[in-house]
């Protein structure tokens, strides 16, 4: 299921500081993700900061990181950080944050609340940005136990042991609410469910609801 996008209101102090002092931290997260290593920094205690997942679309020059603050606390919060590659360096361009929305008993695929920001390539030309601009979007995906990997458009993302991944994509300004087709596949490569660009429910969830009705 798709929970939609959460606005980044900047109320969380740790999140608010992300754009000021943490680009180096996020670049390290992306380097580990691109190398196939776990995104969690060795020096960061998970009880304080957990990097759940990171995703890099090198061809589009965009990336996302899913970060959770105080994961064991009843007041835990999560943040989707969005980055773009500009002049050879990853730049933090915004994101979305809020209380952790953790669904219970995900059978196959759940698309959580994420974030989207306008790419900064045309910052100096607002009119051009509004007509030709591209949005960077990202969302957390929670996967069922039988999912081996997901396809976000044509890109493949493996399902980790904790079954949570973040996905990043780009979309034109006039279709900013669209996402790529997201398909969940089993370990044998058989499709288990999918959710389309504007759909709120994945095919598996719709089928289960029809059975109950």
């Amino acid at each position: 299921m798709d929970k939609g996008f959460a606005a980044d209101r900047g109320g969380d102090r740790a999140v608010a500081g992300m754009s000021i002092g943490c680009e180096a931290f996020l670049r390290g997260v992306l380097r580990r993700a691109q190398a196939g290593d776990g995104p969690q920094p060795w020096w960061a205690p998970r009880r304080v900061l957990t990097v759940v997942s990171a995703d890099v679309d090198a061809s589009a020059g965009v990336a996302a990181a899913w970060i959770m603050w105080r994961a064991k606390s009843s007041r835990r919060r999560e943040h989707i950080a969005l980055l773009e590659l500009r002049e050879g360096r990853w730049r933090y361009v915004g994101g979305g944050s809020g209380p952790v929305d953790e669904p219970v008993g995900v059978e196959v695929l759940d698309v959580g609340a994420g974030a989207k920001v306008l790419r900064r390539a045309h910052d100096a030309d607002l009119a051009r940005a509004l007509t030709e601009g591209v949005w960077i979007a990202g969302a957390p995906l929670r996967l069922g136990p039988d999912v081996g990997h997901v396809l976000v458009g044509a890109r493949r993302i493996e399902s980790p042991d904790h079954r949570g991944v973040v996905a990043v994509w780009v979309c034109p300004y006039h279709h900013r609410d669209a996402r790529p087709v997201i398909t969940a596949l089993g370990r044998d490569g058989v499709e288990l469910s999918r959710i389309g660009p504007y759909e709120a429910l994945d095919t598996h969830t719709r089928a289960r609801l029809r059975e109950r009705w």
Side-chain angles (χ1 to χ4, degrees):
M1 292 185 291
D2 176 19
K3 301 297 194 313
F5 287 95
D8 186 356
R9 298 176 177 84
D12 188 287
R13 291 182 181 179
V15 171
M18 184 74 73
S19 60
I20 300 173
C22 291
E23 279 192 352
F25 164 76
L26 289 170
R27 290 184 191 121
V29 168
L30 299 187
R31 280 196 299 271
R32 285 187 291 275
Q34 289 181 298
D37 300 327
Q40 180 73 20
W42 64 267
W43 48 264
R46 289 181 181 272
R47 68 181 183 277
V48 177
L49 181 150
T50 301
V51 183
V52 182
S53 174
D55 182 33
V56 179
D57 185 344
S59 62
V62 295
W66 177 7
I67 299 166
M68 196 173 296
W69 308 98
R70 302 194 178 279
K72 301 298 184 182
S73 168
S74 60
R75 300 174 63 187
R76 63 190 184 276
R77 294 178 64 84
E78 61 187 355
H79 182 66
I80 302 299
L82 301 174
L83 301 94
E84 69 173 345
L85 192 62
R86 263 186 286 149
E87 299 177 350
R89 291 175 67 84
W90 287 106
R91 302 289 187 181
Y92 174 76
V93 291
S97 61
V100 174
D101 177 19
E102 193 163 0
V104 177
V106 175
E107 294 186 0
V108 180
L109 175 64
D110 183 272
V111 181
K116 60 178 178 287
V117 296
L118 194 62
R119 291 198 78 158
R120 302 290 178 84
H122 303 316
D123 268 357
D125 187 343
L126 179 60
R128 185 181 179 192
L130 293 177
T131 56
E132 303 177 21
V134 173
W135 285 92
I136 307 170
L141 312 179
R142 291 179 171 90
L143 309 174
D146 296 328
V147 176
H149 66 276
V150 293
L151 295 177
V152 180
R155 290 195 309 115
R156 174 171 174 153
I157 303 176
E158 300 294 330
S159 176
D161 291 341
H162 59 75
R163 304 203 301 273
V165 299
V166 68
V168 68
W169 61 87
V170 294
C171 48
Y173 180 84
H174 294 296
H175 297 280
R176 56 189 179 275
D177 292 328
R179 75 172 90 76
V181 174
I182 299 175
T183 308
L185 298 100
R187 304 185 195 287
D188 56 1
V190 174
E191 180 177 321
L192 302 177
S193 188
R194 68 168 54 202
I195 187 167
Y198 296 101
E199 292 175 338
L201 296 176
D202 63 286
T203 55
H204 174 82
T205 301
R206 292 204 304 268
R208 291 298 299 270
L209 289 174
R210 283 195 297 267
E211 291 174 1
R212 293 173 185 173
W213 291 342

